[in-house]
Amino acid sequence: MKINFLKRRTKGEAIFDTINILIMIVICFITIYPIWYTLVNSFNEGQDAMLGGIYWWPRKFTLDNYKAVFSNAGIIKALGVTVAKTVIGTVVHVFFTAMVAYALSKKSLVGRSIYTTLGLITLFFSGGLIPLYLLIRNLGMLDNFLVYIIPAAFSFYDLLIFKSFFSQIPPSLEEAARIDGATDFKIFIRVVIPISLPVIATIALFHGVYQWNDYFTGMIYINNNDLQPIQTYLYKIVAQTGASAMSSNMPGALGVSTVTQQTIKLATMVVTTFPIVCVYPFLQKYFVKGMLLGSVKG
């Protein structure tokens, strides 16, 4: 006797699925089209783009906008600062937060509940921007690259994800390493870290995106143009007169007839978002797995 495992959908189920698909298509279009519009106009001649009517493809394709962006020494320096602070900041954040979370995951830790309570308070209350600015100033981190690294080296929210994951590690693994003479730090480095790659990738993605997109830190604590990240540079282009300065500093070969302030803004936006968009798909599988492992306690 053959059993039909393929259940035939009813008319109501078919209508429901169709409506869901249409809604998702609309949501995807609303999400993706602004990015596509920015990309298309960034490859179009500036004066022609001012006429409007460019929605799907460049009407007059050109690379002059990107030549103008990359010919500006300031944006190259800002891009280098962003890459450096993203890589260094993410490594420091992941290592330090994981180390504290590993300690708090041990029930034998003296004062464990006190540390946890103090950390939870910081999730709901903060001292505010002015006390933080005064603290950063007194620590000598104004106009200092370390302002991107040290204040962001720890997050209690990320600690909770790490702590939940570490609590699931079988004690027998650590006991075996301890019998072999390993210290707590060596156990953390050689046993815990290698089996925690999914949750590490999750936190690295979280913090890496934050570091890449952060413009506020550079705007508040950095006056030295050589230490400004790309997002702060972009903010000044969009909100202030940076685009005019870039236009005036362009090489004469480009000509002002093909490049405008608006197309330079769009090209800069594409340059700032392209790297993180390329990295995200490779980390997405670790992101999903790490979130499940770090939030569901088995």
Side-chain angles (χ1 to χ4, degrees), residues 155-178:
S155 167
F156 195 79
Y157 176 81
D158 293 344
L159 178 143
L160 293 177
I161 299 177
F162 269 124
K163 180 174 174 290
S164 178
F165 182 88
F166 292 154
S167 299
Q168 302 174 46
I169 298 177
S172 57
L173 292 177
E174 300 179 31
E175 291 172 359
R178 203 177 300 278

Side-chain angles (χ1 to χ4, degrees), residues 54-212:
I54 303 174
Y55 303 110
W56 302 107
W57 307 103
R59 190 162 50 216
K60 291 186 178 181
F61 181 85
T62 182
L63 295 177
D64 287 351
N65 300 315
Y66 289 92
K67 290 179 182 178
V69 169
F70 287 107
S71 65
N72 186 281
I75 200 169
I76 300 300
K77 290 181 180 179
L79 187 60
V81 171
T82 300
V83 172
K85 83 184 190 73
T86 299
V87 173
I88 298 174
T90 301
V91 171
V92 171
H93 176 85
V94 170
F95 182 79
F96 187 74
T97 304
M99 188 165 53
V100 178
Y102 177 68
L104 287 179
S105 67
K106 302 304 175 185
K107 296 181 180 180
S108 59
L109 178 67
V110 178
R112 177 171 176 259
S113 59
I114 297 176
Y115 300 141
T116 303
T117 302
L118 293 176
L120 289 173
I121 292 175
T122 64
L123 293 178
F124 302 99
F125 304 98
S126 66
L129 179 59
I130 294 177
L132 179 59
Y133 181 87
L134 295 176
L135 175 63
I136 296 297
R137 185 191 65 181
N138 292 336
L139 292 175
M141 288 193 292
L142 293 181
D143 281 336
N144 191 323
F145 182 79
L146 292 178
V147 76
Y148 299 123
I149 309 301
I150 295 179
F154 177 77
S155 167
F156 195 79
Y157 176 81
D158 293 344
L159 178 143
L160 293 177
I161 299 177
F162 269 124
K163 180 174 174 290
S164 178
F165 182 88
F166 292 154
S167 299
Q168 302 174 46
I169 298 177
S172 57
L173 292 177
E174 300 179 31
E175 291 172 359
R178 203 177 300 278
I179 291 175
D180 292 335
T183 61
D184 288 330
F185 187 75
K186 186 175 290 186
I187 292 174
F188 173 71
I189 296 297
R190 296 189 177 182
V191 178
V192 176
I193 292 297
I195 64 177
S196 304
L197 293 182
V199 71
I200 288 175
T202 301
I203 303 303
L205 180 61
F206 273 155
H207 193 72
V209 172
Y210 161 76
Q211 284 282 10
W212 185 271

